[in-house]
Amino acid sequence: MKKFSLSTWLLFLIPSIIGILLFMIPFKIEGEWKIPVAILANIVAGFVEPIMPWTVTIVMILAALGSIIYQFMKDSNPEDQTFFEKLFQVNWFWTIVRVVGAIFAVMVVANIGPEAVRSGDTGGLLLSPTGLLSFLFTIFLFAGLLLPLLLNFGLLEFFGTMMVKIMRPLFKLPGRSSIDALASWIGDGTIGVLLTSKQYEEGFYTKKEAAIIGTTFSVVSITFSIVVIEELGLGSYFLPFYATVVFAGIVLAFIMPRIYPLSRKPEEYIDGRPFDETGETLPKGYNVVSHGLENALSTANNNRSFTKFITDGLKNVLDMWMGVAPVVMAFGTIALMLATYTDLFVWLGKPFVPLLMVLGIPEASEAAQTMVVGFADMFLPAILGGQIIESDMTRFVIAATSVTQLIYMSEVGGLLLGSKIPVNFLDLLIIFILRTVIALPIIAGVAHLLF
């Protein structure tokens, strides 16, 4: 192993430990377990709450206008693009999505236009002072600024080398993806998606790997899982509930990369390079620890510029604000409108009735619509189930299924579509349905043991 100076060791250890503390270690605040990044976001959100809807709307308007202007400018060579060209130079589809998101936002904050768009059950839910977009905006600020602590100083290289013999055979993923998974499970699914997207854009994941991580490991946080089970009046069952979610999640993480659509994603990097497995083989004379340390220290040694750290962080923030917020607003509002004002999800839930009946779940026809409504928003199954379901067993199944489904258009789904991770709407719908069908027998089996 090469020799490195003390300053290089400190440059690896200090930012990496701070990054782990900020993104992965939950602390109990006012009875709730939260990671420090989320705590910081909540503190700031409390101060800026009254102005958040208008702030988010202004950023969405800028994103829409910038994208329209850049549509009429000559495309630059991807390698020569400036940061703002990368930010605004999207195709017409995403330009339209940004415009729709901005229009919906203006309708909500100005209280104009159709009630269906600005209602407290649809766009108003997403863009209220305490709504999802207001929270995402503040979490993006801190996550964006501080993500380089996890990305730039060798932590991913160290764990990537250590975990490759577990992640590759089990989940068809590189070892470094273990950090993305951990950030999601302990922290929040949105942070996992953002981390994965940055790694993909920087050429560390293939298209297939990025799609697998984004749709398989972007798990709802422990904190939100508590909120879901409490909403359904089953707080005393939290431990078996979360154990069920973890077990079902691991089974799904093993199965999903091996079936359509994830199995069909190309094994090439964002720049078209084919998959290269040589980066995961150990050089002669090294073990996983020594090789992981050398990779980590080399990375830390190449990132000594504080200016670059700040610049990378600010770019992350703008990229998240401009790229993700309009997508969440556009797709989330449309999905919530369909759930609130149509019977679409009731009809889409019909095929689940026979499956739930075979699995012996009480109130199968009522429970079936909650199986699909979660595609719009992760909290809708718990809200709907709490209103129409009497059986504790069925409520348990709804809670565990809704957390295991992962793909919610008002959050993770919107984030995935807004990122450069190569998945489309149809992919997400198919993955959502497959996850539901595969997870249900596991969850139902546990429910029969408990009730």
Side-chain angles (χ1 to χ4, degrees):
M1 181 176 162
K2 288 186 207 170
K3 297 281 185 186
F4 291 91
S5 67
L6 176 61
S7 65
T8 302
W9 276 90
L10 293 175
L11 198 60
F12 160 54
L13 289 171
I14 293 172
S16 298
I17 291 169
I18 294 171
I20 290 170
L21 287 171
L22 287 171
F23 285 93
M24 297 182 192
I25 307 297
F27 292 88
K28 196 170 187 178
I29 302 289
E30 296 176 357
E32 290 187 22
W33 289 94
K34 291 184 179 179
I35 56 168
V37 165
I39 294 167
L40 289 169
N42 281 329
I43 291 169
V44 171
F47 284 111
V48 298
E49 202 173 274
I51 62 165
M52 279 313 296
W54 273 107
T55 305
V56 176
T57 301
I58 289 166
V59 169
M60 286 194 211
I61 292 169
L62 291 174
L65 291 174
S67 300
I68 291 169
I69 291 166
Y70 272 86
Q71 283 298 331
F72 299 99
M73 295 176 69
K74 187 179 177 183
D75 284 356
S76 306
N77 185 319
E79 292 180 8
D80 299 328
Q81 278 187 328
T82 65
F83 170 69
F84 285 103
E85 285 174 331
K86 289 178 182 176
L87 196 62
F88 293 119
Q89 214 164 58
V90 294
N91 61 34
W92 269 110
F93 175 77
W94 291 116
T95 299
I96 291 167
V97 169
R98 289 181 178 186
V99 170
V100 170
I103 291 170
F104 284 171
V106 170
M107 286 181 180
V108 171
V109 295
N111 202 27
I112 56 173
E115 172 71 14
V117 173
R118 53 190 173 83
S119 158
D121 296 320
T122 56
L125 175 69
L126 293 173
L127 199 56
S128 71
T130 56
L132 174 65
L133 276 164
S134 297
F135 173 70
L136 284 180
F137 225 61
T138 49
I139 195 96
F140 285 171
L141 175 64
F142 288 102
L145 285 172
L146 299 171
L147 265 180
L149 292 170
L150 294 179
L151 297 174
N152 292 7
F153 298 99
L155 185 70
L156 288 172
E157 284 72 15
F158 178 64
F159 274 97
T161 309
M162 299 276 282
M163 293 293 292
V164 69
K165 292 192 175 178
I166 296 172
M167 300 301 288
R168 181 61 68 187
L170 281 181
F171 308 123
K172 296 186 175 289
L173 296 173
R176 66 193 294 123
S177 64
S178 59
I179 294 291
D180 302 46
L182 200 57
S184 288
W185 281 74
I186 297 174
D188 188 81
T190 56
I191 290 171
V193 173
L194 299 173
L195 194 56
T196 302
S197 180
K198 297 307 292 183
Q199 292 291 283
Y200 170 62
E201 290 173 45
E202 290 170 14
F204 291 108
Y205 296 147
T206 64
K207 293 177 179 178
K208 185 174 186 177
E209 289 166 353
I212 290 170
I213 301 163
T215 58
T216 307
F217 288 102
S218 303
V219 184
V220 172
S221 67
I222 293 171
T223 304
F224 195 83
S225 299
I226 295 170
V227 175
V228 168
I229 200 76
E230 291 283 355
E231 177 69 18
L232 286 161
L234 298 172
S236 60
Y237 287 90
F238 177 75
L239 287 178
F241 155 71
Y242 202 70
T244 306
V245 169
V246 171
F247 178 67
I250 291 170
V251 172
L252 286 162
F254 180 80
I255 294 171
M256 295 304 295
R258 292 168 168 82
I259 60 176
Y260 179 85
L262 294 176
S263 64
R264 298 289 183 88
K265 294 295 177 184
E267 297 210 44
E268 62 181 28
Y269 296 93
I270 193 168
D271 57 4
R273 286 180 296 123
F275 171 59
D276 178 18
E277 204 171 5
T278 57
E280 296 185 349
T281 55
L282 286 175
K284 191 174 178 182
Y286 285 84
N287 58 39
V288 289
V289 177
S290 61
H291 187 48
L293 273 174
E294 185 169 304
N295 286 340
L297 291 164
S298 296
T299 299
N301 200 41
N302 292 331
N303 283 282
R304 290 180 171 272
S305 170
F306 180 74
T307 305
K308 184 178 183 296
F309 174 84
I310 297 297
T311 305
D312 285 352
L314 290 171
K315 285 180 178 178
N316 285 342
V317 174
L318 284 174
D319 201 16
M320 294 172 198
W321 280 356
M322 298 278 189
V324 177
V327 176
V328 173
M329 188 68 198
F331 283 104
T333 301
I334 291 167
L336 288 168
M337 284 165 63
L338 291 172
T340 305
Y341 297 106
T342 74
D343 291 329
L344 177 66
F345 290 110
V346 175
W347 285 102
L348 290 176
K350 295 284 185 188
F352 284 96
V353 175
L355 177 59
L356 290 166
M357 291 177 74
V358 167
L359 293 171
I361 304 301
E363 302 176 73
S365 58
E366 290 83 0
Q369 61 182 290
T370 71
M371 296 295 109
V372 183
V373 75
F375 188 64
D377 180 76
M378 71 184 99
F379 205 45
L380 288 177
I383 294 170
L384 192 59
Q387 293 171 344
I388 65 174
I389 303 293
E390 297 293 331
S391 164
D392 282 352
M393 177 196 281
T394 308
R395 287 179 174 222
F396 180 90
V397 171
I398 290 168
T401 304
S402 70
V403 173
T404 308
Q405 288 168 326
L406 299 196
I407 309 296
Y408 321 103
M409 292 313 298
S410 65
E411 192 190 79
V412 167
L415 292 175
L416 285 166
L417 292 177
S419 73
K420 292 186 172 65
I421 295 172
V423 288
N424 56 41
F425 182 84
L426 184 60
D427 288 337
L428 296 182
L429 180 60
I430 293 169
I431 290 166
F432 174 87
I433 293 168
L434 288 172
R435 290 187 69 89
T436 307
V437 171
I438 295 167
L440 266 174
I442 299 169
I443 295 165
V446 175
H448 279 292
L449 292 174
L450 289 172
F451 297 94

